[in-house]
Amino acid sequence: MPVCALVREVSPSIVECELTHLARSPIDLDRARAQHRQYVTALEQCGCLVEWLPPEPELPDAVFVEDTAVVLPGLAVITRPGAPSRRPETASTAAALGRHRPLHHITDPGTLDGGDVLRLGRTLFVGRTPRSNAEGIRQLGALVKSAGYDVRTVPVTGCLHLKSAVTALHDGLVLCNPAWVDPREFGVPHLAVDPGEPFAANALPVGGRVIHAAEFPRTAARIAALGLEVLPVPASELGKAEGGVTCCSVLLL
Ligand code: CIR
């Protein structure tokens, strides 16, 4: 069965995206779109069936669909993003995901960004960041409990989301930047990013390969040295918007 991947095209308004830890630098829209097309091609090469969400030209960060939902095998949770400018993005994600999964919702005053949720087996690790508050994390825990998932809160410093700091290469190994998150939180071995590539912990394993930003070759070499196949995709323009490779899709695993 192919994995369905929800994606959305880059909005022209991305030049007005939310920024937290990076200074604003000019985003080349054509280049961002070309890089996004390469990303979508990589998803297809990894066996994904790509489903396009409707364009949202007025919503600057709408390409970063990961933040709008948390998908598990038997249910999906529509988030309430921490940045108010991003909350209108969830309606179209809900419309699409409702055809695949029963839906639940994070509600006011909870906030949660999908980029803060890392799944390892039956545990959802959730970054406590300015985007995901204690009430949002509590609501997520209550929504997924009956499906057999535990939620654990993880402190994160220095970056936007938990998954800027750590992602799972598989259920038994995380890739992380130990300056931003403590690898001991996850109870499995970790591979550290190259110290010169702090943003390289965001990797997307799918279909037996690992999609990874081409800007971080030294960390990619570390991943490849473990026998994993890395598929590099250029992601410099979306990186200027504080996005990475996980952010641009919602995988229906
Ligand atoms: C934001 O600040 O919300 C966007 N500019 C970047 C979101 C990146 N998403 C992610 O890491 N999951």
Side-chain angles (χ1 to χ4, degrees):
M1 269 282 282
V3 174
C4 181
L6 305 185
V7 301
R8 186 180 346 251
E9 71 178 33
V10 179
S11 303
S13 55
I14 191 168
V15 293
E16 293 151 38
C17 67
E18 295 281 343
L19 285 175
T20 307
H21 294 277
L22 292 185
R24 196 167 296 279
S25 61
I27 295 176
D28 180 328
L29 183 59
D30 289 339
R31 199 151 175 245
R33 287 186 161 152
Q35 292 182 346
H36 187 255
R37 277 195 295 276
Q38 286 178 264
Y39 171 78
V40 171
T41 300
L43 287 173
E44 289 170 341
Q45 285 170 350
C46 293
C48 293
L49 191 64
V50 171
E51 184 176 326
W52 289 86
L53 296 173
E56 293 280 16
E58 309 298 328
L59 300 178
D61 285 303
V63 66
F64 301 121
V65 291
E66 170 180 59
D67 294 317
T68 61
V70 176
V71 177
L72 298 173
L75 67 112
V77 177
I78 303 300
T79 65
R80 182 168 179 270
S85 72
R86 300 203 55 191
R87 291 185 189 147
E89 295 173 28
T90 59
S92 54
T93 305
L97 267 180
R99 293 190 284 272
H100 297 274
R101 297 281 192 281
L103 296 185
H104 301 269
H105 295 262
I106 302 296
T107 56
D108 190 11
T111 66
L112 187 78
D113 277 14
D116 277 323
V117 183
L118 171 66
R119 178 176 151 205
L120 274 182
R122 290 268 169 182
T123 304
L124 303 183
F125 294 92
V126 188
R128 179 71 180 84
T129 68
R131 298 294 178 85
S132 297
N133 67 15
E135 171 60 12
I137 299 171
R138 187 200 66 74
Q139 289 182 21
L140 180 68
L143 291 171
V144 301
K145 193 173 191 310
S146 61
Y149 291 85
D150 275 336
V151 163
R152 285 204 222 152
T153 302
V154 181
V156 182
T157 48
C159 61
L160 180 60
H161 285 127
L162 176 66
K163 280 190 278 191
S164 321
V166 59
T167 52
L169 291 171
H170 52 70
D171 268 357
L173 179 68
V174 294
L175 172 66
C176 94
N177 177 345
W180 290 343
V181 74
D182 184 344
R184 291 171 300 187
E185 293 280 351
F186 307 99
V188 295
H190 78 279
L191 176 70
V193 297
D194 182 278
E197 297 177 343
F199 290 92
N202 188 259
L204 182 62
V206 57
R209 293 191 240 186
V210 179
I211 298 177
H212 193 244
E215 290 72 33
F216 309 125
R218 293 197 293 266
T219 300
R222 292 184 179 203
I223 300 169
L226 298 174
L228 298 169
E229 187 182 343
V230 181
L231 197 49
V233 294
S236 59
E237 294 310 298
L238 296 177
K240 293 176 190 171
E242 290 187 70
V245 292
T246 66
C247 319
C248 296
S249 55
V250 173
L251 300 185
L252 277 66
L253 291 168

